[in-house]
């Protein structure tokens, strides 16, 4: 059993869709409650008008579709029993509703439209976590009616990693660049560096600061925006990052002394220096969308600096 639902508006358009018949589809209006009108379009539009007049509703209707796998069928009583169980989960037991059955190529499926406006409370019924209710009821009714159990799960929100990456994209955009560009630069410097200190020094030369963090080992700063270095280094595990950084202990510079209200480490700009800080924008080539061009340009710059570094070591 497949159950889907969503809040929506435009009852007139929904009514036209529900009542549309053609050679392969037959329409049956099974039941309606909460309205004295007989025309489905009039019913849905009156529910909308009431919700708009009495509340700040934007989507006062809730449309549910219930389908079965091909070859399976339910009686009208079983359809209504499923609907009663679903109404209880969604807190829609006393809400006005209209039930329309579509028989498409001999296979039946159900459409139900509810008014979300609660007259007693003067507000809409909340439909949060409705997908979980759809999933739970579908599995229950499959077991009770002997239907084939479908291995479907409700869609979840973004994971912590996805939310973090989305935030980093937003921060990079605010800083006048892209996350791909910052990733490309940091990864190229990482691959070209032998120790943690060399990695940190090379980033500073490009206007990117790396400071010890409070909740993580290090923070990467660019144009006043903070990033997680491990998340910027795609394909580099946390253990690998820590191992490389431990080859050369972190250098606690004056940047680590500046504290904000939430105790997050930020670069200290109280000392006027000519050295590049995290407010320095990347070179124009690093802001290009083509990450390959960014890496190639950066590698050329790093290779030019290597002879000078070897001379100082000697």
């Amino acid at each position: 059993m497949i159950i889907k639902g969503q809040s929506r508006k435009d009852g007139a358009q929904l009514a036209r869709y529900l009542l549309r018949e053609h050679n392969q589809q037959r329409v049956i209006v099974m039941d309606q409650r909460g309205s004295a009108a007989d025309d489905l379009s009039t019913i849905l539009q009156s529910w909308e008008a009431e919700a708009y007049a009495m509340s700040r509703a934007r989507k006062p209707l809730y449309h549910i579709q219930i389908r079965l796998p091909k070859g399976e069928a339910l009686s009208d009583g079983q359809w209504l029993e499923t609907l009663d169980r679903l109404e209880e989960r969604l807190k829609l037991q006393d809400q006005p509703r209209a039930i329309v059955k579509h028989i498409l190529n001999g296979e039946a499926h159900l459409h139900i439209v509810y008014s979300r406006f609660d007259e007693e409370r003067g507000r809409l019924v909340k439909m949060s976590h409705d997908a979980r209710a759809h999933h739970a009821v579908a599995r229950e009714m499959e077991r009770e009616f002997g239907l084939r159990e479908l291995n479907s799960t409700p869609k979840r929100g973004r994971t912590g990693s996805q939310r973090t990456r989305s935030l980093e994209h937003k921060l990079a955009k605010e800083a006048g660049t892209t996350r791909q560009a910052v990733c490309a630069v940091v990864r190229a410097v990482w691959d070209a560096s032998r120790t943690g200190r060399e990695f940190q020094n090379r980033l500073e030369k490009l206007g990117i600061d790396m400071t010890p963090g409070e909740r993580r080992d290090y923070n990467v700063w660019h144009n006043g925006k903070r990033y997680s270095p491990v998340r910027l280094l795609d394909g580099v595990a946390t253990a690998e990052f820590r191992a490389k950084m431990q080859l050369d202990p972190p250098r606690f510079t004056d940047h680590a002394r500046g504290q904000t209200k939430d105790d997050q480490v930020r670069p200290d700009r109280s000392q006027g220096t000519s050295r590049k800080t995290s407010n320095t924008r990347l070179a124009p080539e690093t802001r290009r969308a083509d990450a390959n061009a960014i890496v190639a340009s950066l590698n050329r710059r790093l290779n030019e600096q290597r002879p000078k570094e070897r001379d100082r070591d000697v």
Side-chain angles (χ1 to χ4, degrees):
M1 180 178 290
I2 302 170
I3 302 178
K4 297 182 179 180
Q6 64 177 352
S7 299
R8 59 162 298 162
K9 57 183 178 179
D10 197 353
Q13 185 277 332
L14 179 58
R16 289 194 297 270
Y17 166 73
L18 294 178
L19 296 177
R20 185 174 57 195
E21 289 188 320
H22 47 77
N23 294 337
Q24 289 79 31
Q25 178 170 282
R26 187 161 59 96
V27 175
I28 301 174
V29 179
M30 291 180 59
D31 183 39
Q32 70 90 7
R33 73 183 181 204
S35 177
D38 295 329
D39 179 62
L40 183 62
S41 180
T42 303
I43 292 173
L44 300 188
Q45 290 183 75
S46 66
W47 291 347
E48 277 190 295
E50 181 184 15
Y52 291 148
M54 304 297 293
S55 70
R56 297 180 179 179
R58 292 186 178 181
K59 296 182 178 180
L61 304 178
Y62 191 73
H63 176 208
I64 295 176
Q65 303 175 57
I66 307 178
R67 300 176 180 271
L68 299 174
K70 191 172 182 179
E72 296 185 338
L74 293 177
S75 65
D76 287 350
Q78 290 173 324
W79 283 116
L80 294 176
E81 185 177 348
T82 301
L83 190 54
D84 290 341
R85 193 80 57 89
L86 187 59
E87 284 184 0
E88 184 178 356
R89 290 291 187 97
L90 295 174
K91 310 298 182 185
L92 293 171
Q93 303 98 312
D94 301 321
Q95 294 302 114
R97 77 179 184 192
I99 306 175
V100 179
K101 180 192 286 187
H102 285 180
I103 302 177
L104 180 63
N105 295 324
E107 303 277 346
H109 63 271
L110 222 59
H111 291 267
I112 311 95
V113 184
Y114 288 90
S115 169
R116 293 178 55 200
F117 181 67
D118 187 336
E119 293 184 358
E120 294 183 2
R121 298 183 178 183
R123 61 187 184 187
L124 300 186
V125 177
K126 292 185 178 180
M127 305 308 301
S128 55
H129 307 298
D130 55 342
R132 298 180 185 178
H134 302 161
H135 174 75
V137 171
R139 302 294 83 77
E140 290 176 8
M141 307 318 292
E142 286 169 348
R143 290 189 290 269
E144 290 190 19
F145 296 150
L147 302 174
R148 176 161 54 92
E149 275 196 55
L150 301 180
N151 185 22
S152 63
T153 56
K155 293 182 179 180
R156 305 292 184 183
R158 291 180 297 180
T159 64
S161 175
Q162 290 172 328
R163 285 193 294 269
T164 301
R165 291 181 184 274
S166 177
L167 175 61
E168 290 178 347
H169 277 288
K170 180 180 178 180
L171 293 176
K173 184 176 180 180
E174 291 177 356
T177 183
T178 64
R179 183 181 183 277
Q180 289 83 355
V182 178
C183 284
V185 171
V186 174
R187 183 54 191 260
V189 174
W190 173 265
D191 293 338
S193 302
R194 293 167 296 176
T195 65
R197 175 168 293 184
E198 184 180 356
F199 176 60
Q200 191 172 5
N201 289 340
R202 289 179 182 274
L203 286 178
E204 287 185 0
K205 292 177 181 179
L206 297 172
I208 302 176
D209 289 314
M210 189 172 70
T211 62
E214 292 291 331
R215 297 185 178 180
R216 57 172 71 102
D217 296 335
Y218 291 91
N219 290 318
V220 169
W221 297 88
H222 172 243
N223 282 0
K225 306 299 181 181
R226 183 187 63 182
Y227 306 92
S228 167
V230 177
R231 295 194 183 279
L232 294 177
L233 293 168
D234 292 334
V236 176
T238 301
E240 181 183 352
F241 175 79
R242 288 176 174 173
K244 187 169 184 176
M245 296 305 296
Q246 287 173 359
L247 292 177
D248 194 17
R251 180 161 56 91
F252 291 86
T253 64
D254 292 340
H255 296 288
R257 296 174 186 171
Q259 300 289 328
T260 61
K261 292 181 180 180
D262 55 356
D263 293 332
Q264 293 178 347
V265 180
R266 289 184 181 274
D268 181 11
R269 300 180 181 85
S270 59
Q271 301 294 334
T273 61
S274 60
R275 185 178 58 81
K276 289 184 179 179
T277 66
S278 57
N279 278 332
T280 304
R281 289 181 176 271
L282 293 176
E285 62 268 17
T286 64
R287 294 197 296 269
R288 297 174 186 170
D290 187 358
N292 293 329
I294 296 170
V295 174
S297 175
L298 181 59
N299 284 333
R300 287 195 300 270
R301 294 174 60 183
L302 293 175
N303 290 331
E304 292 173 358
Q305 295 174 0
R306 284 175 181 169
K308 298 179 181 179
E309 293 176 358
R310 286 196 295 268
D311 292 342
R312 286 199 299 269
D313 294 340
V314 175

